[in-house]
Amino acid sequence: MTYVKPRPGRIALVSEHASPLAELGGPDAGGQNVYVAQLADRLVRRGHDVTVYTRRDAPEPPTMVRTPQGVKVVHVPAGPPTAVPKDELLRWMPEFGAYLARAWRMTRPDVAHAHFWMSGLAALEGARGTDIPVVQTYHALGTVKKRHQGTADTSPPERVDIESRIGRRADRIIATCADELSELVAMGVPRSRISVVPCGVDTAHFAPVPPAGRAPARPRRLLAVGRLVPRKGFDRAIKALKDIPDAELLIAGGPEAPLLFADPEAERLRKIAFEYGVTDRVRMLGRVPQEGMPHLLSGADLVLSLPRYEPFGIVPIEAMACATPVVATAVGGHLDTVADGVTGRLVSPDGSADRELARIVRSLLDDPARRARYGVAGRTRVLSHYTWDRVADAVAQVYGELSTGPVLSGVAR
């Protein structure tokens, strides 16, 4: 393979429920929105013509919006122009796919990249009868969700079967971690058609923030970040706090702080804190704006990321980018991102291991030199593996390998 000067390509990103324009923190607005927005931005910076197709979920925005970076976001009329939980959107994917087919007949993309399984269904329908290559990134797999949530899984019953069919029909699958790769192979997706490209982090934004002046005396600070849903494991952090003296736990996520008292998961966590006698050491912050996250992460002694399962997990690499060590459950993408004993510690996802979790946290809190080493190593690891520029280059490499015309990636086959 030889390097040649890449040409600008026309790239369609399909993200049916996760708009790059959405405000983060809602029930269906999180890591996928960030991924699509950052990937689109980096591809545009490389000279590509990028259009993101997302479902219209409000009547106000125009059909096409161009971001300040130059990304075109098309609001596809599929279903009602109102917010609908993503698990209820399957019925409108044929309508979404038909819109893509019409749009792509008029302006053919060089590659279509679908994000989430329902987007894959729409993208394959849009590309039907053409030679447009379709790349699929699942972001989360129904097999994993069903395994961990059981009857609490609200996904459509057809999800697992559809995901398997998408995996066999798409030209290439991009997995975000080695754990997902194994899951896809077990689903029957040929290993030869799977590429592993991790998620990324904005290392200019997520960077160490030095304290302003002399820090006042305070308890040692633990921080947990994420949507307020049971699988994120905030309850484990609260329970472990009982055995971690002189430490406070901050939980960032969920609705705005004034609305936390109406949030069912926040209420459940408050009851657990009361039951374990740590109410006075648990602070729920609610939604923290993105601009405030680097300061919050940098000010923590440790970041706890304790989900029961996690497709990739963006919080650990955001913390590492801010040079803050991480204690994370050994699941999903955490197995790739957190170098155990180098940038943080991996712990069992088993809730019965809370005393071991507390012991590990105490040992790190009592060893500031080790925390400092972990922090430096974490920042270095993120800069080496998880910048959005590296992610965009790797994704463009996949596009280039599939392009039937001149290459997109700059690598000739």
Side-chain angles (χ1 to χ4, degrees), residues 126-149:
R128 184 191 297 272
T130 74
D131 61 352
I132 300 170
V134 175
V135 177
Q136 173 71 35
T137 297
Y138 289 98
H139 293 278
L141 285 169
T143 54
V144 178
K145 188 175 181 185
K146 190 173 186 64
R147 184 183 310 136
H148 288 275
Q149 293 192 0

Side-chain angles (χ1 to χ4, degrees), residues 142-307:
T143 54
V144 178
K145 188 175 181 185
K146 190 173 186 64
R147 184 183 310 136
H148 288 275
Q149 293 192 0
T151 56
D153 180 11
T154 57
S155 300
E158 310 96 320
R159 175 174 178 174
V160 172
D161 178 62
I162 291 173
E163 284 183 338
S164 297
R165 286 193 279 121
I166 291 170
R168 291 190 293 270
R169 289 181 58 196
D171 296 277
R172 187 69 61 87
I173 309 297
I174 294 181
T176 58
C177 63
D179 191 62
E180 185 183 0
L181 168 65
S182 299
E183 194 75 29
L184 288 165
V185 171
M187 288 166 53
V189 180
R191 173 64 183 87
S192 60
R193 290 198 288 111
I194 305 172
S195 300
V196 178
V197 180
C199 298
V201 64
D202 183 347
T203 53
H205 179 67
F206 287 94
V209 178
R214 184 182 178 89
R218 61 166 174 79
R220 298 177 294 182
R221 179 167 293 171
L222 308 174
L223 173 66
V225 180
R227 290 182 294 124
L228 286 187
V229 292
R231 77 171 180 88
K232 291 296 185 179
F234 298 129
D235 52 348
R236 286 195 68 191
I238 293 171
K239 293 173 184 177
L241 196 63
K242 180 179 180 180
D243 296 318
I244 308 172
D246 189 30
E248 64 177 357
L249 171 66
L250 275 57
I251 299 176
E256 301 283 351
L259 303 177
L260 282 172
F261 286 96
D263 186 274
E265 178 63 7
E267 176 62 19
R268 185 180 79 92
L269 295 176
R270 281 192 291 268
K271 289 179 179 178
I272 293 171
F274 178 79
E275 177 187 350
Y276 278 75
V278 296
T279 298
D280 60 332
R281 293 193 287 135
V282 176
R283 282 201 287 148
M284 302 186 70
L285 306 178
R287 189 183 74 84
V288 175
Q290 279 292 95
E291 56 267 25
M293 285 306 302
H295 183 271
L296 188 64
L297 290 163
S298 298
D301 295 297
L302 282 175
V303 168
L304 308 184
S305 183
L306 305 173

Side-chain angles (χ1 to χ4, degrees), residues 376-398:
V376 171
R379 175 74 180 173
T380 300
R381 182 171 176 79
V382 168
L383 291 173
S384 299
H385 296 86
Y386 301 109
T387 67
W388 281 114
D389 284 328
R390 288 183 177 274
V391 172
D393 287 342
V395 170
Q397 170 74 39
V398 173

